[in-house]
Amino acid sequence: MTSSTVTVMLFLSFFVSSMMAASAGNFYQDFDVTFGDERAKILNGGQLLTLNLDKFSGSGFKSKNEYLLGRIDMQIKLVSGNSAGTVTAYYLSSQGPTHDEIDFEFLGNLSGDPYTLHTNVFSQGKGNREQQFHLWFDPTRAFHTYSIVWNSQRIIFLVDNIPIRVFTNLETIGVPFPKNQPMRIYSSLWNADDWATRGGLVKTDWTQAPFTASYRNFKVSTTTSTSTNSLTEQSAWQTQGLDAAGRNRLRWVQQKFMVYNYCSDLKRFPQGLPVECRRSRF
């Protein structure tokens, strides 16, 4: 290997490292406010974003970039206290009538009750694949990491790196899978007291407003952009599945904390459960 080759390799290594550092999440660089005006605030030089909801409006943001497959991580601290009627949504979505979408939605609660984490997957405009969970911690007291691993084989929903749901690619048996439409990251805090808490029985208490959700440490690893993770971590999502430990954690979450599963709702599907419900989840 010649000295000039070594020099070029060192330069490329430095360039890649610089690009990796530059791609670390910064809300000024990575996101645009979509509504709410001053209710959405970017703070600490772009390292923190807060959304607020009052009686007049909620607020939201979306990513400047679109992503086609990858791993998305975001740390969120949810609305504290009596958050009944509010929804904090964090999701990936494309546009149009046949859009794809991967959802986290956090349904507010009365003080002392658990938050409900609502998940859903849309492919080619069709959703109705809801699973809901109660979290095993108080998501309002500290930041927790909510992640989506999205590769061509499966979608994995993770909370603090613990898998809570897997949606497997079953295109071979006719189940559409979202892998062809680039999606943006969206988040919003809004009032949904017609359905969010106990089916709409508990309304938003506006004396508690403004309601606030906070975001930090956004990271993304895709085929076209990298985070500050190691090269191994950057590529791991492309084939990521669940090993034995991951399957055990998934079972633990689903057995102890799942409160709704469309794949168990025989009343909703009297003609038979969706075909993906009858196949392996891993």
Side-chain angles (χ1 to χ4, degrees), residues 27 44 47-50 74-78 137-146 159-160 212-218:
F27 287 103
N44 298 349
Q47 299 305 302
L48 178 70
L49 186 150
T50 60
M74 184 79 80
Q75 290 192 331
I76 306 174
K77 183 164 64 174
L78 296 176
F137 53 83
D138 182 348
T140 72
R141 297 188 65 181
F143 285 91
H144 292 268
T145 303
Y146 303 92
V159 177
D160 291 336
T212 303
S214 302
Y215 302 76
R216 72 180 188 188
N217 289 350
F218 162 70

Side-chain angles (χ1 to χ4, degrees), residues 144-270:
H144 292 268
T145 303
Y146 303 92
S147 307
I148 295 167
V149 171
W150 172 33
N151 59 41
S152 59
Q153 297 87 44
R154 62 190 61 84
I155 296 163
I156 309 173
F157 296 77
L158 302 110
V159 177
D160 291 336
N161 218 35
I162 295 173
I164 65 168
R165 177 177 184 177
V166 177
F167 185 78
T168 302
N169 184 343
L170 294 174
E171 290 177 304
T172 55
I173 59 171
V175 180
F177 184 83
K179 64 179 179 61
N180 298 313
Q181 299 187 64
M183 296 196 264
R184 295 185 192 275
I185 303 163
Y186 294 84
S187 191
S188 58
L189 174 57
W190 51 291
N191 179 46
D193 65 4
D194 57 331
W195 66 272
T197 306
R198 297 183 182 174
L201 295 177
V202 183
K203 302 302 181 181
T204 303
D205 180 359
W206 293 110
T207 66
Q208 305 295 312
F211 304 98
T212 303
S214 302
Y215 302 76
R216 72 180 188 188
N217 289 350
F218 162 70
K219 295 181 181 179
V220 59
S221 295
T222 72
T223 53
T224 56
S225 68
T226 60
S227 72
T228 54
N229 296 335
S230 70
L231 292 174
T232 299
E233 291 172 323
Q234 288 170 25
S235 61
W237 63 267
Q238 297 185 50
T239 56
Q240 186 170 339
L242 298 186
D243 58 13
R247 290 192 293 271
N248 286 337
R249 287 183 169 187
L250 179 68
R251 291 189 188 98
W252 173 73
V253 171
Q254 295 196 342
Q255 289 171 4
K256 290 185 175 293
F257 301 103
M258 180 182 282
V259 294
Y260 177 79
N261 182 5
Y262 80 109
C263 280
S264 301
D265 195 341
L266 296 174
K267 291 183 179 179
R268 184 177 175 187
F269 301 104

